[in-house]
Amino acid sequence: MRLLEPVQLAAATARNRVLFGPHETNLGRRREVTGRHVAYYLARARGGAGTIVVETASVHPSDWPYERAPLASAAADGWAAVARACHDEGALVLASLGHAGSQGSSAYSQLPLWAPSRVPDVATREVPKSMEPEDIDAVVAGFAEATRLAVAAGCDGVEVNAGQHSLVRQFLSGLTNHRQDEYGADRLRFAREVLQAVRGDAAGAVVGLRLSCDELAPWAGITPDAAGQILAELSGYVDYVAVVRGSIYTVSATRPDSHTAPGFNLDLTRQVRAALPAGVAVVVQGSIVEVAMAEGAVAGGVADLVEMTRAQIADPDLVGKVQSGSPEQVRPCVLCNQTCQVRDGRNPVVSCIGEPSSGHETEDEPVAGTAALPQRVLVVGAGPAGLEAARVAALRGHRVRVVDRAPQPGGAVLAAAAGSGRDRLARLVEWLRAECVRLGVRLEVGAEAGDGDLAAHDGPVLLCTGSRDGRRDYAVDDGADVRTARAALTEPQALPPGPVVIWDPIGGPIGISLAELLAPQRSVTLVTQDLIVGTQLARSGDLADASTRLLQAGVVLHKRAKLRQVTATGVVVEDAYTGEKREIDAAVVVDAGQRLPEDTLWRTHPELPRAGDAVAPRTVYEAVLEGRRAALALDGGVS
Ligand SMILES: Cc1cc2nc3c(=O)[nH]c(=O)nc-3n(C[C@H](O)[C@H](O)[C@H](O)COP(=O)(O)O)c2cc1C
């Protein structure tokens, strides 16, 4: 397999061509690279990654883009610890160096943002300060000093960030560089000075460049052709180029979710590579989450290395599993962006819905290991909580039986996966099922476990019974047709003809993806009490794109409206602010609101442990996490 062959980067040799890209983790403290970072990267190095690029560190204190962003001058000890740990496992370690410029935040630094020109940031609306010559010199010197520190700390080299969130890109781009001086007349000048300084201080170590090669804003931004010209000038300073895309206007395009097809940068990378001299290696990335696609990119000459970032957040052992001939055992990244997208006000630690130990390596009990006392375990419910509980229990040597009354495993995830653009979610269920089968779990679907089964079972029982329909806090007239989102997603063809109203008091992916699913065929109105539809999608980065898709699909958005009554011919909604009432025609109403725990068995057996929606209906992440904890607790490990 070409993907597993070594590749030369300057004087260093990466043992294979799989790279773990730089990304925000929120594992930092006091702007340092911490022990939690070390454990996070070590898990990927141990799992076989060839090259690890550490989370971007700011090269100058004028840059503090998010609270837990590392600062190069505070990162040396952490870099050294990461390098030691990952080198012991055979991986290369590169330090990503950057400055977010106008895409940063003044909230932490309490200083004005630095940028080439006074172009307000699209997201924060903040007007930055146009950098003065001494500011420019200070940042260039910061890149040089950070390079010295990283190399002295034992890193194999550095990667300069000129990607989506970067000052270097802001200087290269006509969108953000309106300067009248020599840095505007020659927009490459700043990048050239940075790379010259970095190369000069790298002492023969690897120098990489992460470059936005298509800002998706052709009126003034970097286009693929322009990227070729930029690289023709700058490639002499670098050993590799990581091709990325996106600009201030298209943040979500940089690391989109499952609504964008995997491998979206393959053509761009092919084009950029053609403009590069042979000695410069090329890294392709962009939702490459399948080994076959990664192998195809290398074997097909698109790139020399493949960045698989989210794929290795989902499975730190991805490379090792491929090496040992079991690629089917790789836990899939389903491109949901639900818990690996961490740039939000809550400062969550990076994690994964399928692998909740990601980001929590120092705290979570390892799943691997053997139970001191193997037992017969009965798991009731084959949703994500039940399947993960069964998988982990079986892995640890228990004999496990899973019973679910539904005809197939998957629980609520199967319905969620039926939503528009969400079908990849089913891959996680399929993986859990396949792993259970491989580990000898007895899976009985279409079979209901009752009190009798529980009484007859000799061993621990875990209740992973999922959720049931939620409460309706609106009146339902005789003859009104109200269904749950779960039913509508599972059997959209069973909905009666005529206009559909979706009541979405949550603003998450369920109501939105259902509206998208139904809209091509019929009239759909989405009703929410919020001022913006899909508010919760901001966390996964899909909010703006979802609004675009809904409007383009012709979904009527009825905002700031509370559902009060469903009649035989429609709904009555009430303006959340003015109290004004209004009727909307509907042949059927779909309720995409909160659900309640399915706790029938638990009510008669309150002594039994529960996990996931059976405790409180939430997301796949909590279901998998709690299913895993329940299985580990069988050994007394976690309570
Ligand atoms: C949690 C997260 C945060 C990210 N933050 C950054 C960042 O700060 N700088 C950067 O250059 N790329 C960042 N990225 C982009 C990744 O480096 C990578 O290029 C991107 O995830 C695409 O690769 P993938 O599709 O294999 O995940 C981030 C990605 C993730 C998953």
Side-chain angles (χ1 to χ4, degrees), residues 21-25 55-56 66 96 159 161 163-165 210 244 254-255 264 285-289 307-311 313 335 337 340-343 350:
H23 57 280
E24 178 177 346
T25 62
E55 176 164 8
T56 303
Y66 49 93
S96 171
E159 183 181 281
N161 188 12
Q164 198 277 326
H165 266 104
R210 177 166 297 258
V244 303
T254 305
R255 42 157 308 182
F264 54 84
Q285 57 90 271
S287 300
I288 299 184
V289 288
E307 176 176 329
M308 301 181 81
T309 300
R310 282 171 291 178
I313 298 176
L335 292 170
N337 277 354
C340 64
Q341 164 84 27
V342 295
R343 194 170 289 206
V350 67

Side-chain angles (χ1 to χ4, degrees), residues 286-309:
S287 300
I288 299 184
V289 288
E290 276 153 44
V291 173
M293 182 179 275
E295 169 66 9
V298 175
V302 176
D304 305 283
L305 295 96
V306 184
E307 176 176 329
M308 301 181 81
T309 300

Side-chain angles (χ1 to χ4, degrees), residues 4 56 139 162 182 224 248 386 405 449 488 502 506 531 585 601:
L4 299 179
T56 303
V139 173
E182 61 272 33
I248 49 174
R405 62 186 171 203
I502 298 172
I506 299 179
L531 284 164
D585 285 350
L601 273 179

Side-chain angles (χ1 to χ4, degrees), residues 2-25:
R2 292 290 311 278
L3 192 65
L4 299 179
E5 290 175 5
V7 60
Q8 200 69 23
L9 294 172
T13 307
R15 61 181 161 177
N16 59 55
R17 291 156 186 265
V18 180
L19 181 137
F20 191 49
H23 57 280
E24 178 177 346
T25 62

